Amino acid sequence: MDFNLLLDTDSYKGSHWLQYPPDLTAMGAYLESRGGENPDTLFFGLQMLLQDTLERPVTRGDAEEAADLWSAHGLPFHREGWQRLLSVHGGRLPLRIRAVPEGSRVPTGNVLMTVESTDPALAWLVTWVETLLLRLWYPTTVATRSWHFRELLRSALERSADDPAAELPFRLHDFGSRGVSSHESAAIGGLAHLVAFRAPTPSPPWWRAGAITTAR
């Protein structure tokens, strides 16, 4: 299915632009792990997500398709705002996204990513992209759990193995493809798992080229 940013959000956000103060010129948002069973979070997946979604500019066809759907949904369509995005920015989002480096382990309760508006007339876009950006919780969760499993295995191997360093990268294999919803989910989860472990097969060219950042 073709990606359309104007449809890839929560339906209730269709009217948010009318609920913000009329003189709103800037907005910022941030992402953090609020807590859980692990003391830190291994951040992973943002670059993959951005390349698959936000590198593609919004088109006039996207806006026309969205206008019909939002109208049928009973919500207002911000035609003027999306037209400005097309005419002024060429369909590119005027947002600044900053994040910790991929593969970083960050103590719980700290900021992992921020999103800021850069066009005073389109500040509402910050919350529009919340839905798709929060999908990085899946690879981040897989990467975090795999890393902490690695540390448990490291401790056990140091007590029981002759060469813990050689065995550790291959101690936990990914069978997650059997239980996820799609081929895409399997690929994303598998990639996140490889931040902490290696596959038991020879590495493909993109691995040797350093496309995956090993957690620090």
Side-chain angles (χ1 to χ4, degrees):
M1 182 173 60
D2 292 336
F3 172 73
N4 185 343
L5 176 70
L6 282 68
L7 303 178
D8 195 4
T9 193
D10 301 304
S11 63
Y12 67 86
K13 287 189 170 69
S15 63
H16 269 193
W17 59 282
L18 291 172
Q19 300 178 49
Y20 292 130
D23 57 349
L24 177 71
T25 58
M27 185 183 296
Y30 68 93
L31 174 72
E32 69 164 311
S33 171
R34 296 175 179 174
E37 62 184 28
N38 299 313
D40 51 27
T41 301
L42 199 158
F43 184 76
F44 182 74
L46 177 61
Q47 297 305 313
M48 174 174 52
L49 180 63
L50 294 179
Q51 291 174 27
D52 283 346
T53 55
L54 300 188
E55 280 196 351
R56 176 189 178 280
V58 172
T59 67
R60 191 170 303 278
D62 292 336
E64 293 173 355
E65 179 186 23
D68 291 339
L69 186 142
W70 287 112
S71 177
H73 199 51
L75 290 170
F77 179 67
H78 198 352
R79 189 177 299 276
E80 179 182 350
W82 292 112
Q83 180 56 46
R84 177 178 176 83
L85 182 74
L86 293 168
S87 60
V88 176
H89 300 284
R92 301 286 184 179
L93 297 185
L95 298 175
R96 180 183 296 113
I97 299 175
R98 295 186 287 184
V100 300
E102 298 266 4
S104 296
R105 288 184 294 120
V106 180
T108 296
N110 287 276
V111 173
L112 299 170
M113 176 182 69
T114 62
V115 184
E116 305 164 75
S117 60
T118 60
D119 183 336
L122 299 175
W124 51 272
L125 283 172
V126 169
T127 53
W128 189 273
V129 299
E130 175 192 19
T131 305
L132 70 90
L133 286 177
L134 287 182
R135 293 186 189 127
L136 65 83
W137 275 126
Y138 174 55
T140 292
T141 298
V142 173
T144 298
R145 292 183 65 83
S146 289
W147 175 262
H148 285 283
F149 287 148
R150 178 188 174 101
E151 294 306 286
L152 289 173
L153 290 166
R154 182 201 303 277
S155 177
L157 288 171
E158 287 174 350
R159 299 192 305 268
S160 61
D162 294 329
D163 191 352
E167 292 193 32
L168 182 59
F170 305 97
R171 284 298 97 190
L172 184 63
H173 303 323
D174 173 26
F175 286 84
S177 181
R178 304 179 182 195
V180 293
S181 61
S182 66
H183 180 270
E184 180 186 30
S185 295
I188 293 172
L191 186 65
H193 174 74
L194 291 176
V195 175
F197 293 94
R198 294 186 182 180
T201 56
S203 301
W206 46 265
W207 173 271
R208 291 197 296 269
I212 298 178
T213 302
T214 302
R216 294 180 293 278

